[in-house]
DNA sequence: CTGAAAGCGCTTACAG
DNA sequence: CTGAAAGCGCTTACAG
């Protein structure tokens, strides 16, 4: 309810609003003496800009880039962040935002390197990026740093000085959550398989972290006597998955399966085919196919990463960062939502952020 | 990225911006002919107001009321929506919002009736209300209708024509979710107790609905052979709860306890005291005490109602409704979040809506 | 280094 | 019934 305006500060300091604005935005051209005086006043009166007025006045063009894996068939995981980005654009509303898209094949690191080789640094003021190839992304992010391009990451984290913020889930924790859900009703001696089917496990740090979290939970579970069987099927084909699963079932006393990414529906299909019942199945993300098997009861729990919201928040953070020079938290953790058949509908809405009439982005 | 302004429409229609504004806000004083013409244009060019400009220009005072149970000790459930309201006020920022508070004792219907008897209808343009006493609230809401006061409800629903929107959880569904969680690892013959400890179960429809949802789940669970024991302890005192629980444990083969509100910590305390282990315990809301027992492992799952967010969204909806004449969805369902020890931290943050730098309410 | 002025898109009296 | 003008708080050239 406070309402000190720039004009008020200016009057008190006996300067013009222009001068006050200069010190607010640290754009120099103010004598040290007046600057300090105004800074003190700003502090003292706890000046907060009126964001409506600001965004109304600030009508300059802004060019941002978004870089993520391409959506091969419209049914993949990567469709979801794309929707979040569209939502964000819509929310940003009447602004001069130009978004430049860079999509790469998540199985082709050479293609990625080629693509970033001629990234138009001059044209763009910020980047929203979902990294896949660790080394290659790191190298590119270093270039961003030397080109002074601020970057917001989502989905998977890579450390680099150009990275101003990361939006995502605590992957290790999410593995613990999966393990907790797996543990209920599990016989003390039930074996568990951890199934990795991501395109490139080695490159996705969050996939590795999920497995770690899952293992650490059971390592600390005193009553548990079963075995955890790591099963890597990266880049494997249809036929191999079925074969591998049958091997697992005949060699072990499997009580549950943890699929470390969104391809859990493929496993569900095999379970259905092979008429394996009573197997606890936990995986990630609300893909259509996953939702289908969740409803059928073949998948017990899905953990949602909120990929739409990741992208939505990421783009907003970036926008505010470059336009208003407003920093964002270094890590923006999204919750680790547990989805069952029963609470599913309330996570499928697209209204995650602008559902209430009137929530908008400055 | 569209950007037709009022001015553009006005030029095309050969009228002034004032006239266009009049038809946009339906404030009459426009000839039918021009009105229709402008309406067509608005439609054709898909005019969307710039909310920044609108809220900058619209600086009139607005008086709203909030009515909910009082917070007796600072540790109760009702502390949480209060925080959401504070957040909302902060977010609304530089506006002339005056909030009038009406707190009532949730065990005293007569006090409630007295309080609303001289509700200052003339002073206030909207009401955010968490009803407790069903009949009494209904009567009051009818008066609001005849006084043309728009109402947004949260937490618990009561039907009335003054109610423009409800923010809350699907209570029946949340009971199903609780049941699903309860069912994992439950022996086929395990009995379950449903413990009602709300101040006035009869008045809170959502408490009743939770129990219904819980029961319907088990009624449809073909393998389940146990009994569901309804246990009402409304208004019961400390000693009685312990006694009642011991009775339950000696008379039945209890596998789990479902507490239909946020007082699940009281049950957890008794379980700890009585050294009852291996009892599944599911309840509601992230009160400090509940969180403590969740961390200790005595509570297995908490379902969060997001009471802060309910109030936050409710107040925002109301604000937008009266100030901008912008309608809200009749029902704003919040997700039924499942909280375990592992994913807890990501639900405790206060950043539910304005966490990302720059999310604000128009 | 500093100030005066125009403008962002909308709303609101006021004059006719 | 309609229009012209001022103002919301901020930013941005431009002039000095």
């Amino acid at each position: 309810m406070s309402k000190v305006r720039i004009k008020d500060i200016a009057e008190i300091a006996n300067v013009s609003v222009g001068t006050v604005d200069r010190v607010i935005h640290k754009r120099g051209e103010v004598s040290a003496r007046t600057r300090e005086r105004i800074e003190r006043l700003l502090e003292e009166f706890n000046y907060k800009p009126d964001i409506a007025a600001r965004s109304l006045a600030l009508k300059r063009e802004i060019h941002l880039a978004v870089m993520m894996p391409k959506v091969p068939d419209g049914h993949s995981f990567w469709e979801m962040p794309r929707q979040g980005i569209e939502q964000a654009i819509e929310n940003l509303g009447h602004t001069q935002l130009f978004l430049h898209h860079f999509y790469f094949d998540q199985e082709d690191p050479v293609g990625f390197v080629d693509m970033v080789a001629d990234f138009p640094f001059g044209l763009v003021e910020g980047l929203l990026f979902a990294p896949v190839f660790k080394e290659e992304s790191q190298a590119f992010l270093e270039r961003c740093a030397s080109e002074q391009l601020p970057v917001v990451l989502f989905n998977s984290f890579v450390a680099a000085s150009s990275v101003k913020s990361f939006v995502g889930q605590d992957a290790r924790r999410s593995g613990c959550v999966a393990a907790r859900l797996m543990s209920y009703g599990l016989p003390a001696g039930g074996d568990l398989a951890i199934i990795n089917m991501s395109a490139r496990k080695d490159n996705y740090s969050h996939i590795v972290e999920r497995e770690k979290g899952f293992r650490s939970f059971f390592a600390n579970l005193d009553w548990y006597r079963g075995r955890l069987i790591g099963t890597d099927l990266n880049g494997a084909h249809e036929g191999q998955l079925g074969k591998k699963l049958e091997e697992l079932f005949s060699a072990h006393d499997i009580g549950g399966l943890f699929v470390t990414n969104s391809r859990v529906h493929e496993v569900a299909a095999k379970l259905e085919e092979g008429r394996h019942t009573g197997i606890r199945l936990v995986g990630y993300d609300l893909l259509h196919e996953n939702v289908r098997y969740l409803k059928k009861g073949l998948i017990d729990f899905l953990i949602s990463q909120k990929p739409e919201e990741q992208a939505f928040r990421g783009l907003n953070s970036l926008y505010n960062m470059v336009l208003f020079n407003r920093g964002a938290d270094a890590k923006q953790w999204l919750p680790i939502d547990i989805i069952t058949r029963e609470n599913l509908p309330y996570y499928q809405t697209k209204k995650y952020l602008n559902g209430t009439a009137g929530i908008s982005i400055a």
Side-chain angles (χ1 to χ4, degrees), chain A residues 38-244:
Chain A
I38 291 170
E39 276 169 350
R40 225 180 340 267
L41 252 19
L42 253 15
E43 181 74 26
E44 181 183 343
F45 288 89
N46 187 27
Y47 170 77
K48 295 263 185 292
D50 179 323
I51 57 178
R54 173 174 287 184
S55 62
L56 181 58
L58 208 46
K59 283 290 173 215
R60 64 172 253 242
E61 286 187 2
I62 169 172
H63 290 255
L64 301 177
V66 48
M67 187 179 284
M68 64 165 112
K70 61 177 71 155
V71 182
D73 50 9
H75 273 284
S76 99
F77 173 82
W78 293 103
E79 179 63 19
M80 301 197 276
R82 203 130 98 175
Q83 285 181 14
I85 285 170
E86 268 164 37
Q87 282 260 0
I89 291 172
E90 208 166 294
N91 251 287
L92 260 9
H94 285 253
T95 51
Q96 298 283 49
L97 169 62
F98 298 90
L99 208 54
H100 302 260
H101 297 265
F102 297 86
Y103 297 120
F104 57 90
D105 182 339
Q106 64 173 327
E107 317 232 358
D108 179 12
V110 176
F112 174 77
V113 172
D114 284 352
M115 185 185 79
V116 300
D118 39 45
F119 185 82
F121 283 102
L123 287 182
V124 138
E125 299 176 77
L127 170 67
L128 178 67
F129 180 30
V132 173
F133 313 106
K134 203 171 169 186
E135 314 268 295
E136 293 84 349
S137 299
Q138 193 120 38
F140 173 57
L141 288 168
E142 292 310 333
R143 263 183 79 214
C144 294
S146 65
E147 299 272 359
Q148 314 260 38
L149 188 75
V151 179
V152 172
L153 252 37
F154 71 97
N155 193 254
S156 196
F157 183 70
V158 170
S161 64
S162 51
V163 174
K164 303 307 174 201
S165 182
F166 166 71
V167 189
Q169 202 172 55
D170 184 333
R172 169 104 47 138
R173 273 289 180 132
S174 86
C176 295
V177 171
R180 157 76 66 192
L181 298 171
M182 192 64 90
S183 74
Y184 281 105
L186 185 71
D191 296 328
L192 298 171
I194 301 164
I195 302 182
N196 287 307
M197 297 202 293
S198 74
R200 309 180 63 89
K201 178 191 171 189
D202 49 330
N203 281 301
Y204 273 128
S205 63
H206 64 291
I207 300 286
V208 177
E209 289 297 313
R210 286 171 184 174
E211 178 165 349
K212 277 189 195 160
F214 189 85
R215 287 182 178 278
S216 75
F217 180 90
F218 279 102
N220 292 321
L221 200 62
D222 50 12
W223 56 261
Y224 184 62
R225 301 275 169 270
R227 268 166 306 175
L228 302 183
I229 303 137
T231 309
D232 284 4
L233 287 166
N234 309 316
H237 296 295
E238 276 293 306
Q240 293 174 264
L241 172 60
K243 207 168 132 249
K244 190 70 197 176

